[in-house]
Amino acid sequence: MKSLLGVLALTIIFVLVALTGGYAADKKITKKQIPDAVLKAFTSQYPDAIIKGQALETESGKKYYEIESLDGNTRRDILFTPDGKAYEIEETMDPATLSDALKSAVAKKYPKGKIEIVEKVTRDTLIGYEMTVKIGKKTKGVNFDAKGNMIKVSKNKAGKETGTKNNNGGEKVD
């Protein structure tokens, strides 16, 4: 049951991101407008990271402060609550460092595909992976959970994204 709830929550994250292209309301702000608690949390967790941008975002009526950063070769976007708690972390990673289960899942689904970009998405204890896979001359965005299960956004007849289905075409359940 816990696994089902985890997959459902992760699926909702991907659907929200896919439907809104990010978050519903995104307002660029200055560094001075970020609460001290958020800046302190960020600098203590990522002391070598350089802030590249910041925004105030609203999701389901709640405010979050986004910090876009670069830490060596790792790009990281973090949503913080106003009191400095990390709500969501998106960070780039080297495709070579993916688990064997994830590499195998991508290879099975796209035998001629090459993983080009990977972003690890963490919200609480849930982890998912957003990937760009190149297949010939085309690229495809795909999402997997940490176990290698494909999460795909389904569309209705009007082309609007409505929910998720697993790679077998059925509703995603464990």
Side-chain angles (χ1 to χ4, degrees), residues 73-144:
N73 291 329
T74 303
R75 292 193 173 280
R76 188 177 293 117
D77 294 348
I78 307 171
L79 289 182
F80 287 96
T81 60
D83 63 355
K85 181 182 176 198
Y87 173 70
E88 180 179 272
I89 304 168
E90 296 179 358
E91 56 191 348
T92 57
M93 59 184 285
D94 182 347
T97 64
L98 283 172
S99 70
D100 289 340
L102 283 165
K103 289 178 193 174
S104 179
V106 173
K108 183 177 179 182
K109 182 71 179 169
Y110 305 103
K112 295 183 180 183
K114 179 183 179 211
I115 302 170
E116 293 198 323
I117 300 171
V118 178
E119 194 169 74
K120 180 179 178 182
V121 180
T122 306
R123 188 178 280 187
D124 292 323
T125 59
L126 302 174
I127 299 173
Y129 297 87
E130 297 175 356
M131 300 180 210
T132 301
V133 178
K134 186 166 185 163
I135 308 153
K137 293 182 180 181
K138 295 182 180 183
T139 57
K140 183 168 184 73
V142 295
N143 300 318
F144 286 87

Side-chain angles (χ1 to χ4, degrees), residues 62-77:
K62 294 182 182 178
K63 289 185 180 182
Y64 298 96
Y65 291 87
E66 178 182 30
I67 295 181
E68 300 169 5
S69 66
L70 184 61
D71 194 351
N73 291 329
T74 303
R75 292 193 173 280
R76 188 177 293 117
D77 294 348

